[in-house]
Amino acid sequence: LHHHPPPPPRRRHHHARWRSSVSAAGASGGAAADAPPSSSSSSFEVVAPIDVPKPTPARLDAYIATHAPPSEGGGGITRARVVASIKAGLVDVNGVVARKASERVSPGDVIRVALKPTPPTEAAPEDIPLDVKYEDEHVLVVNKPAGMVVHPAPGHSSGTLVNAVLFRCGCPAMRVASGNASTSDASSTSDASSTSDGEDTDVDADMEADVDDDEPSYSPPTLPNGARNTADGVARPGIVHRLDKGTSGLIVVAKNEAAHASLCEQFATRVVRRRYLAICLGSPEQGEGRVDAPIGRDPRDRLKMAVVRGESRGGRRAASNYKVRASLARGNASLVEWRLETGRTHQIRVHAREIGIPILGDETYGGAGNGAEERLRSKGAMTPAEAKRVAKISRRPMLHAQTLGFRHPRTGEEMDFKAEPPEDFAEVFEALRDASA
């Protein structure tokens, strides 16, 4: 038997202000020497301000999830993942390993976190029809239907675009990184060149299928026809960017490593050409404009995104350009074209709400339900029955990725594609246009 001395008492660190930092250390020991051991490079430190008598939230897990710095892709960290990290002994408070997620946070506490890797998801090839706009040995351009999840995630292991691509390319079943899991979460490889069409590398299971990504996701590429696995047996599908589950439209998939690297660079340097169409409630004050408002996790609801001012609160720069293409239902709705300068989770949806024109059918951000019906029948533009019908047939956010342009990774040719909105989008548009007459 060996005698183990009791852990040292918790020490209070007195800091004049709140601060946080993100460690970019590798998975094999690049973190600080006195940090808890970790198989992930997602490490950071949070300090509870000394001048706040009662830190909010009080629980350790909730405090970390709320006050953690934004991840590399721009998103937040789920509370469930924080709890798993605490249980794995990857969180310490003032140098002492935390044992309970319910532990109370005190002023001046220094909390160090090394996030537990996200477990992989099994993805099997599935014979799912795809609307292919272009395909060669290097790239695949697909017109994704609304309702299809791009990447497997907890609760969405089948029926995704990845499942369909695996089948089309003749790949076997494979373990893939869950959702937006980063390289450090799923692999020991250092390749961090992949991009996601918009946004975050750590999202809740409920949001996993609902991201609209446009930034590097830090997942290394795989060859869909080669099914290259990493050392941990986790394969990387050739997804370059993403669209929300409810968003329809164009998306490009890389079919080999060279194509993946090229497309990732193009997304990262903002040279990819994309435009979205949205049917919004109301019309902006100006027919054309720019929204420059940082986006982060909604501090009141971690399953949502919101305009969040200040980097210390998790907000990251986000800018969107819009132009009204048509006024509908006597101004109660409008067809708006959007062009993104940055890519954050739900960026268009959040920015549309920010300027008072939420996307029709968007339950998450105020574009559905009774409120939508009331706005549609304003000024006598529609009868209550007509407004109710339009709201009812808007079963998802009326958002469509209409155009996509990029430089071919092999030939260097500039390629542009266009996909008209699907039937449900057109039906809603026609109903609102008729109300304008």
Side-chain angles (χ1 to χ4, degrees):
L1 296 176
H2 297 277
H3 174 68
H4 295 281
R10 291 176 59 174
R11 302 180 300 276
R12 301 300 177 195
H13 292 250
H14 301 281
H15 293 266
R17 60 188 178 86
W18 182 94
R19 63 182 175 84
S20 69
S21 62
V22 179
S23 169
S28 58
D34 54 349
S38 171
S39 59
S40 166
S41 63
S42 300
S43 303
F44 57 89
E45 180 182 280
V46 177
V47 180
I50 191 67
D51 54 351
V52 178
K54 294 183 178 181
T56 305
R59 282 177 57 113
L60 178 62
D61 56 346
Y63 192 88
I64 293 172
T66 300
H67 296 283
S71 65
E72 291 294 336
I77 296 168
T78 70
R79 186 167 172 179
R81 193 174 178 197
V82 171
V83 172
S85 301
I86 293 172
K87 290 181 177 179
L90 301 177
V91 176
D92 75 45
V93 181
N94 304 327
V96 179
V97 176
R99 299 300 180 188
K100 294 183 179 180
S102 59
E103 184 175 322
R104 294 311 195 202
V105 177
S106 299
D109 276 351
V110 177
I111 306 165
R112 298 170 110 163
V113 182
L115 293 174
K116 185 177 180 180
T118 304
T121 299
E122 185 79 16
E126 297 179 21
D127 187 4
I128 302 172
L130 292 176
D131 181 8
V132 176
K133 296 301 182 183
Y134 177 83
E135 183 177 15
D136 61 22
E137 60 182 309
H138 305 285
V139 296
L140 172 68
V141 178
V142 175
N143 182 23
K144 185 189 84 69
M148 173 181 273
V149 176
V150 171
H151 197 286
H156 296 277
S157 60
S158 65
T160 72
L161 179 62
V162 166
N163 297 111
V165 169
L166 291 178
F167 181 88
R168 187 177 185 89
C169 296
C171 293
M174 60 183 67
R175 295 169 68 221
V176 299
S178 294
N180 273 347
S182 68
T183 299
S184 60
D185 288 343
S187 168
S188 60
T189 181
S190 61
D191 186 343
S193 59
S194 170
T195 68
S196 351
D197 182 12
E199 302 136 17
D200 58 50
T201 58
D202 285 301
V203 290
D204 290 320
D206 291 341
M207 291 182 70
E208 204 64 83
D210 201 19
V211 295
D212 199 0
D213 295 340
D214 186 42
E215 274 211 347
S217 69
Y218 306 96
S219 296
T222 189
L223 311 182
N225 55 1
R228 179 175 72 82
N229 287 0
T230 53
D232 60 0
V234 179
R236 313 294 178 214
I239 300 301
V240 179
H241 62 128
R242 311 189 190 197
L243 296 174
D244 288 358
K245 175 183 178 181
T247 301
S248 57
L250 295 170
I251 186 169
V252 60
V253 178
K255 295 183 69 175
N256 57 55
E257 191 168 352
H260 191 283
S262 173
L263 290 171
C264 286
E265 180 182 4
Q266 293 181 56
F267 272 95
T269 55
R270 309 295 179 193
V271 296
V272 176
R273 302 172 295 280
R274 292 179 304 150
R275 293 184 185 274
Y276 293 77
L277 284 180
I279 299 176
C280 298
L281 288 171
S283 296
E285 295 182 0
Q286 298 178 334
E288 185 173 356
R290 180 174 181 270
V291 184
D292 190 347
I295 291 176
R297 290 274 179 167
D298 189 333
R300 295 166 296 182
D301 185 345
R302 302 294 288 176
L303 294 180
K304 297 180 181 180
M305 306 302 289
V307 170
V308 179
R309 310 287 180 182
E311 290 187 6
S312 64
R313 299 181 59 205
R316 287 170 60 90
R317 177 181 173 270
S320 308
N321 297 276
Y322 67 86
K323 185 174 184 179
V324 176
R325 290 299 183 185
S327 179
L328 305 169
R330 301 181 189 175
N332 293 340
S334 54
L335 179 68
V336 182
E337 180 183 278
W338 292 86
R339 180 176 59 81
L340 303 182
E341 293 182 24
T342 58
R344 304 287 177 243
T345 303
H346 302 172
Q347 179 169 321
I348 294 175
R349 298 162 64 185
V350 172
H351 277 176
R353 181 183 66 172
E354 177 70 8
I355 62 174
I357 56 167
I359 296 176
L360 180 60
D362 193 343
E363 295 182 357
T364 304
Y365 298 108
N370 293 335
E373 294 179 29
E374 291 177 4
R375 294 189 68 167
L376 290 174
R377 65 173 182 258
S378 177
K379 309 171 189 174
M382 307 183 82
T383 66
E386 290 171 335
K388 187 178 186 65
R389 175 183 173 274
V390 169
K392 185 176 181 179
I393 63 176
S394 302
R395 299 181 183 89
R396 51 98 175 185
M398 292 292 108
L399 180 61
H400 176 71
Q402 185 182 37
T403 68
L404 173 65
F406 56 87
R407 184 180 66 257
H408 193 281
R410 176 67 176 178
T411 66
E413 176 187 359
E414 294 293 340
M415 309 185 75
D416 290 276
F417 303 92
K418 184 176 183 179
E420 295 302 329
E423 291 184 5
D424 66 334
F425 191 105
E427 182 182 6
V428 172
F429 175 79
E430 291 297 334
L432 294 171
R433 187 170 64 174
D434 290 344
S436 301

